[in-house]
Amino acid sequence: MFERSKRGERALLIQPHSGSGDDPAVLEEFAELARSAGATVAATLPARIDRINPATLIGSGKVEEAQSLCSAADIDLVLVNHPLSPVQERNLERALQCRVVDRTGLILDIFAQRARSHEGKLQVELAQLRHMATRLVRGWTHLERQRGGAIGLRGPGETQLETDRRLLAKRVDTLSARLDKVEVQRNQMRRARLRQGIPRVALVGYTNAGKSTLFNALTGADAWEADQLFATLDPTIRRLEGLACGEVVLSDTVGFVRDLPHDLVAAFRSTLSEARDADLLLHVVDAADPQREERIGQVGEVLREIGADEIPQLLVFNKIDRLEEGAARVDVDEEGEAMRVWVSARTGAGLEPLREAISARLSGERVRGRVHLSALAGRLRARLFAAGAVRHEVADDDGWQIELDMPLATAQQILSGGDPEVAAVRGQLLAAS
């Protein structure tokens, strides 16, 4: 077995692609991911795949090309922009005699470097362990040894591989339990904000679109910002004051990327819930990115995966200072509602129109009214309280007189379905409007 390099700084990038052709933008993004992880891109190798090779992903001819490049450029790390099975990863390492990491492993490594909070570190470690669980068969010969060889220990026993799998599963269970506790605490804080009736706005978008810079510009916070992929992972929450609609809670979330690993989405469920539970999403887009329309679609896919695709969105095209004729403006729909706001978080251009657009969207997307709940509607009443929708309540002989005030998206979630009590409240609100 080859000796694994501990540094792994000089990297060969393998870019598999279909017969439709190689997309330079995809390779450039992958190269940026490699640099974000601390690697130096020494060479790249496009590899057309008409049919996936179950042993190595790429064909034998491309494997030979990769061997030559590794020898010529002193490569000690091969990064493949495609998920690899454990078998493919092991076979490529044997053929190339250097460490091989797929796209999922690379993103997990970047997240491990950037996590700062206790919760973030737990989330990343959990995702890494789940990814590692399928890769314990990678070339360590000692994993096939069984206990034995001494008096009292001879016999079939338990292989080292089985021991490692058991310990890994135990660690996964421990981390999951810790994250569940953290999520309970986060939910308690979230419910407290809901009871205060403060609208919630979350920044979402493709990584490196300038979300943290915009967050700082709007709130005066000092969240870490840098011109790199996944500069920040941990959610930051601040109050946004001075809007016509009143005080707003603004949260900055982790950036998205194409083919975001499912293990990360699962591990970051409490972090991503800041977006799922928001009243309005500010979808930040890099206006100077030639692939911006594709990026919008990829963010939409992640939002669908976490159940946040039905929350109202306001597109914010950031970095207009990088456009030749970039000017701050607001694009509206046929009804005069703001749909796109063009800003520069770096220079401050367009921030005031953005604040006005946020206020207008939050003011116009709320459901208010006084309703009566019968004594049988205890579960519905509890859901309304948990959502922070109850402004005032008076109990009577038949139930409760409740004054409601909640975002339209929240009302659609709670008051949907054919339950008689839900339908009765829905009817009362429609009559009041």
Side-chain angles (χ1 to χ4, degrees):
M1 194 63 186
F2 67 90
E3 183 67 24
R4 293 168 182 268
S5 169
K6 295 182 180 179
R7 294 179 61 83
E9 292 182 344
R10 290 184 58 80
L12 165 66
L13 306 188
I14 298 181
Q15 173 59 55
H17 63 88
S18 63
S20 57
D22 187 23
D23 186 352
V26 174
L27 180 58
E28 177 54 35
E29 180 188 84
F30 190 55
E32 185 60 32
L33 283 172
R35 288 188 284 268
S36 296
T40 299
V41 179
T44 61
L45 177 63
R48 174 174 172 171
I49 298 180
D50 294 323
R51 184 189 307 174
I52 291 179
N53 188 323
T56 56
L57 180 70
I58 58 178
S60 58
K62 285 297 179 180
V63 172
E64 293 178 0
E65 287 187 49
Q67 289 173 332
S68 300
L69 286 172
C70 288
S71 300
D74 192 23
I75 299 294
D76 51 15
L77 172 65
V78 175
L79 301 174
V80 182
N81 195 14
H82 193 280
L84 293 175
S85 70
V87 172
Q88 292 169 342
E89 192 170 309
R90 183 178 69 248
N91 290 338
L92 284 174
E93 286 188 339
R94 286 175 174 172
L96 303 179
Q97 289 296 296
C98 61
R99 196 153 43 92
V100 175
V101 178
D102 66 358
R103 179 183 178 85
T104 300
L106 177 61
I107 294 178
L108 288 172
D109 184 84
I110 296 172
F111 271 57
Q113 294 181 42
R114 304 284 164 77
R116 293 292 178 267
S117 70
H118 174 66
E119 180 186 9
K121 292 177 181 178
L122 289 178
Q123 290 168 327
V124 173
E125 184 180 355
L126 178 60
Q128 286 181 313
L129 289 177
R130 286 173 172 167
H131 182 65
M132 188 188 305
T134 62
R135 285 160 164 73
L136 287 180
V137 295
R138 283 171 45 184
W140 287 277
T141 56
H142 76 281
L143 295 184
E144 296 177 356
R145 298 174 186 165
Q146 293 182 334
R147 294 178 58 193
I151 295 175
L153 294 179
R154 295 188 179 96
E158 182 179 42
T159 66
Q160 183 65 44
L161 178 60
E162 291 168 343
T163 302
D164 286 0
R165 281 176 175 167
R166 178 170 49 80
L167 293 175
L168 188 147
K170 183 177 180 180
R171 180 62 177 168
V172 167
D173 291 341
T174 300
L175 290 176
S176 298
R178 290 183 182 178
L179 279 173
D180 287 341
K181 292 182 179 179
V182 172
E183 187 169 6
V184 168
Q185 296 172 351
R186 185 178 292 278
N187 287 336
Q188 290 174 342
M189 293 187 291
R190 188 177 296 114
R191 283 196 295 269
R193 295 197 302 268
L194 287 171
R195 284 193 294 269
Q196 294 174 357
I198 302 177
R200 298 148 295 164
V201 179
L203 292 169
V204 299
Y206 209 80
T207 182
N208 205 29
K211 296 185 302 301
S212 296
T213 304
L214 181 61
F215 180 84
N216 291 338
L218 288 172
T219 64
D222 57 353
W224 171 254
E225 55 185 78
D227 187 15
Q228 58 184 208
L229 302 182
F230 303 119
T232 53
L233 298 184
D234 304 311
T236 308
I237 300 173
R238 294 289 186 275
R239 291 180 183 265
L240 179 58
E241 301 175 339
L243 300 182
C245 66
E247 195 175 56
V248 169
V249 173
L250 184 66
S251 59
D252 182 17
T253 63
V254 62
F256 301 155
V257 71
R258 76 171 78 227
D259 302 324
L260 193 65
H262 292 287
D263 286 340
L264 273 180
V265 174
F268 276 71
R269 63 186 187 278
S270 61
T271 300
L272 295 173
S273 63
E274 293 294 341
R276 188 177 62 245
D277 297 337
D279 301 316
L280 176 66
L281 298 179
L282 296 187
H283 184 164
V284 184
V285 182
D286 183 352
D289 187 349
Q291 304 290 323
R292 68 189 187 195
E293 294 301 326
E294 183 181 352
R295 301 283 187 260
I296 292 174
Q298 289 157 355
V299 170
E301 291 178 4
V302 179
L303 290 176
R304 280 190 292 275
E305 188 171 353
I306 66 175
D309 54 315
E310 295 184 358
I311 297 175
Q313 290 188 33
L314 176 62
L315 284 171
V316 181
F317 285 85
N318 189 25
K319 302 185 182 182
I320 60 172
D321 52 299
R322 297 187 178 183
L323 300 177
E324 293 184 2
E325 299 181 357
R329 69 178 191 273
V330 179
D331 298 337
V332 299
D333 59 13
E334 297 177 354
E335 299 178 356
E337 184 176 66
M339 300 300 296
R340 296 181 179 87
V341 183
W342 300 73
V343 305
S344 171
R346 185 70 64 187
T347 66
L351 292 185
E352 191 56 37
L354 174 59
R355 293 167 65 92
E356 294 173 358
I358 294 172
S359 181
R361 291 293 293 270
L362 291 175
S363 298
E365 293 286 344
R366 300 191 73 81
V367 173
R368 299 179 176 89
R370 184 182 297 273
V371 299
H372 181 269
L373 294 185
S374 73
L376 300 176
R379 181 174 297 181
L380 175 58
R381 174 176 173 269
R383 291 189 65 190
L384 291 170
F385 267 101
V390 179
R391 300 277 75 80
H392 183 68
E393 178 189 67
V394 177
D396 57 29
D397 295 337
D398 299 324
W400 303 273
Q401 294 285 345
I402 295 182
E403 184 178 338
L404 297 177
D405 181 3
M406 56 185 156
L408 177 60
T410 302
Q412 291 173 341
Q413 292 176 0
I414 296 178
L415 302 178
S416 62
D419 183 89
E421 296 296 338
V422 171
V425 172
R426 193 165 57 233
Q428 293 177 60
L429 288 173
L430 288 174
S433 61

